[in-house]
Amino acid sequence: MNSFDSFDGWVENASPAENFLYQHLRYHRSKESEDAIINRFFKLFIEALNYPDPEVWQVVNRLANAAESDRQFKYTLNRCCYTLINYWYSQPRCHAAIPRLIELFEDLPTDDPGLAASRRIRELVARFTQTDQYEALSRLRQVFGEPDADNAYNAQHHQPVGTLLRHYPFLYDHSLLTKDSDHEQKRSIQNLKQQAEQRLGINLARYNSYRLGHSRKPIENPTRLSDQQLNQALDHYTGKSYEAKSYKEFASWFSTYSRSVKTFREFKEELVNDYLLLPIAAEIPKYRNNQFSRALREWARATLTDFDEQRLNSFTLVELIRQLLIFLLLQNRRRPIFVIFRRLLEDMGYTLTTGLLLRIVLLCSAARPALERCFSVMFNLHETRQRGDVPWLVESLEHTNIALVTNFGGFGFCH
């Protein structure tokens, strides 16, 4: 069974009425064309009139007027969407139906339907478009919509940042899922993420092989960076860097070395000075003791101080790295302002800044979701901005994409 076909069984924790509705959609999705089922969805939820099955209409009406409907209906409607989306994803010829279904919510009727039941359903559907669930669906539409024709030199700067989501699989978990997403939806997005990472990894590996002369067949640059920028990024993230070690080798060396550190306080000092700052200072000497390096040292000394006299363990390592990523990327989780990250990009450049983040997650791969979450916060807050207004964000997403795929994808990049 395809992992995107999530609702072939009884939906856990759903009421009998909800499961009756999901079963109804499951039955018709396999019997009718995509156009027919989209029209059926439109009549049941968007127009909320003239639905051909009275029993189903009564069930939706009952759910819409239940005591908990203000809180619960958005989850039911979201599952109805995924009941169709998951099935269509399993059949490539049906992929175009996914954004078409989601587009139904963009033009809700404003006339009076004349029925109290219809007014109530329309009210709840309108509220749904203000929820996290709908935001995630809207982003999913960008992943399945028609790809744009932009490239490094002909970028559509007027297009919203959100239209680029398909290109950054490391954002999928935190941009396409919500806190209430069930296990099957998480598996679905993970499947989508893995496929996107694989496509990107293969395309980058082929491009790398061609540019190094190992392949004669010309391969187009698969990123939004110029050829020169991409070549520099690939050399930096996959080649030898500090002390003639690759990023992976340096992370492995420091991980082995840190086991001999006696206390967590000592580990924090050596993490900042030897692992994070020295490779930067080798390229830009002022980072041995500039404003950023001093702020980073002060931050580390003030973080998780209750554990300073203990030995380093997996919990303190993951929590330290998680908080470090928030400090570098968001500065404040509740009120992200990106000041430190923007300054690093301007002063150090994209490869060294991204390399700093790469060293962090290579040392503690369990903290990679924290990196992805931070970038998703950044992306989600800017998704309605025009690409040309936030070039720093687009370029940093490109570099992070390359750094993660080349170091975690297992595609065997050659040098």
Side-chain angles (χ1 to χ4, degrees):
M1 180 189 301
N2 189 289
S3 66
F4 234 102
D5 200 6
S6 309
F7 292 100
D8 279 346
W10 195 256
V11 178
E12 187 179 1
N13 299 326
S15 69
E18 288 171 319
N19 270 312
F20 177 84
L21 181 57
Y22 304 147
Q23 287 180 324
H24 172 75
L25 292 174
R26 280 197 295 272
Y27 174 80
H28 285 282
R29 74 186 183 186
S30 62
K31 301 292 184 181
E32 299 177 347
S33 68
E34 301 89 76
D35 287 341
I37 197 68
I38 287 174
N39 185 59
R40 183 178 288 278
F41 188 95
F42 176 82
K43 287 183 176 298
L44 185 57
F45 291 113
I46 309 300
E47 188 179 49
L49 283 172
N50 305 315
Y51 196 70
D53 190 320
E55 187 177 7
V56 174
W57 172 252
Q58 289 301 321
V59 167
V60 174
N61 187 22
R62 191 159 66 248
L63 290 169
N65 287 281
E68 68 278 9
S69 61
D70 285 342
R71 180 185 60 83
Q72 184 63 32
F73 193 83
K74 62 182 179 181
Y75 304 125
T76 304
L77 183 54
N78 197 45
R79 279 181 169 174
C80 286
C81 292
Y82 273 96
T83 299
L84 303 177
I85 289 169
N86 296 340
Y87 180 74
W88 288 334
Y89 177 78
S90 68
Q91 304 177 68
R93 67 175 181 81
C94 298
H95 282 187
I98 296 173
R100 286 171 52 210
L101 175 74
I102 301 169
E103 285 169 10
L104 292 179
F105 294 98
E106 293 186 354
D107 189 19
L108 300 179
T110 57
D111 62 309
D112 187 348
L115 292 175
S118 300
R119 281 194 291 271
R120 176 58 177 167
I121 293 169
R122 288 187 182 186
E123 176 190 1
L124 290 172
V125 170
R127 291 185 189 178
F128 176 72
T129 62
Q130 306 301 315
T131 64
D132 292 343
Q133 288 72 26
Y134 177 70
E135 282 190 359
L137 271 176
S138 295
R139 296 182 189 122
L140 187 65
R141 176 193 167 195
Q142 300 297 343
V143 173
F144 282 102
E146 288 295 323
D148 52 42
D150 64 353
N151 55 50
Y153 295 102
N154 188 32
Q156 298 175 347
H157 293 306
H158 64 283
Q159 292 293 320
V161 170
T163 60
L164 291 172
L165 178 60
R166 73 173 74 244
H167 302 292
Y168 308 121
F170 70 95
L171 299 177
Y172 285 10
D173 286 347
H174 302 287
S175 293
L176 300 179
L177 295 170
T178 55
K179 291 181 180 179
D180 60 282
S181 294
D182 61 26
H183 178 68
E184 291 300 332
Q185 286 186 22
K186 291 175 182 176
R187 286 181 54 206
S188 300
I189 297 305
Q190 188 64 28
N191 177 274
L192 191 63
K193 176 182 179 180
Q194 289 173 351
Q195 291 188 7
E197 285 180 339
Q198 185 174 34
R199 285 194 301 271
L200 175 63
I202 290 172
N203 289 336
L204 278 175
R206 287 174 175 169
Y207 174 86
N208 194 49
S209 180
Y210 168 69
R211 75 166 183 117
L212 294 177
H214 302 311
S215 171
R216 294 183 179 180
K217 183 179 178 181
I219 301 297
E220 185 178 351
N221 179 342
T223 74
R224 260 137 223 88
L225 302 179
S226 69
D227 289 351
Q228 181 181 8
Q229 289 172 321
L230 176 56
N231 295 344
Q232 291 174 345
L234 287 170
D235 287 338
H236 187 82
Y237 303 132
T238 67
K240 304 294 184 180
S241 55
Y242 182 64
E243 292 190 341
K245 293 182 175 67
S246 68
Y247 273 89
K248 284 186 176 180
E249 291 167 344
F250 190 48
S252 177
W253 168 83
F254 186 77
S255 178
T256 301
Y257 167 75
S258 64
R259 293 172 192 160
S260 63
V261 176
K262 293 182 179 180
T263 66
F264 183 58
R265 179 192 288 111
E266 292 176 3
F267 171 77
K268 289 189 293 182
E269 292 288 333
E270 295 183 3
L271 171 72
V272 169
N273 292 313
D274 298 342
Y275 187 65
L276 300 182
L277 292 177
L278 275 184
I280 300 173
E283 300 282 340
I284 309 176
K286 70 178 181 179
Y287 276 84
R288 291 182 182 275
N289 190 34
N290 65 352
Q291 182 180 1
F292 169 73
S293 61
R294 290 192 296 271
L296 185 58
R297 291 185 185 106
E298 290 174 7
W299 174 87
R301 289 165 186 159
T303 300
L304 300 175
T305 55
D306 289 347
F307 301 94
D308 276 354
E309 302 308 320
Q310 299 182 19
R311 298 280 300 201
L312 176 70
N313 58 51
S314 58
F315 168 78
T316 51
L317 176 62
V318 172
E319 185 59 18
L320 178 68
I321 296 302
R322 186 187 70 82
Q323 293 191 32
L324 173 61
L325 290 168
I326 291 172
F327 170 74
L328 292 174
L329 290 167
L330 307 182
Q331 196 161 348
N332 186 303
R333 183 176 58 183
R334 288 188 171 85
R335 298 183 63 186
I337 54 176
F338 323 118
V339 171
I340 294 175
F341 182 59
R342 295 280 311 265
R343 286 176 179 167
L344 290 176
L345 291 176
E346 292 169 2
D347 192 54
M348 284 172 25
Y350 290 87
T351 52
L352 284 181
T353 302
T354 306
L356 172 64
L357 302 176
L358 179 60
R359 275 198 301 283
I360 292 169
V361 292
L362 282 173
L363 181 64
C364 180
S365 59
R368 178 177 167 178
L371 175 76
E372 296 175 345
R373 187 179 299 110
C374 288
F375 269 106
S376 292
V377 169
M378 206 179 297
F379 180 88
N380 296 347
L381 285 175
H382 292 88
E383 63 184 330
T384 60
R385 298 281 301 277
Q386 292 184 3
R387 301 177 196 175
D389 291 340
V390 285
W392 63 270
L393 175 59
V394 176
E395 192 163 345
S396 64
L397 290 170
E398 291 291 332
H399 276 268
T400 304
N401 226 13
I402 296 165
L404 291 177
V405 167
T406 54
N407 282 272
F408 288 92
F411 294 99
F413 282 81
C414 52
H415 309 289

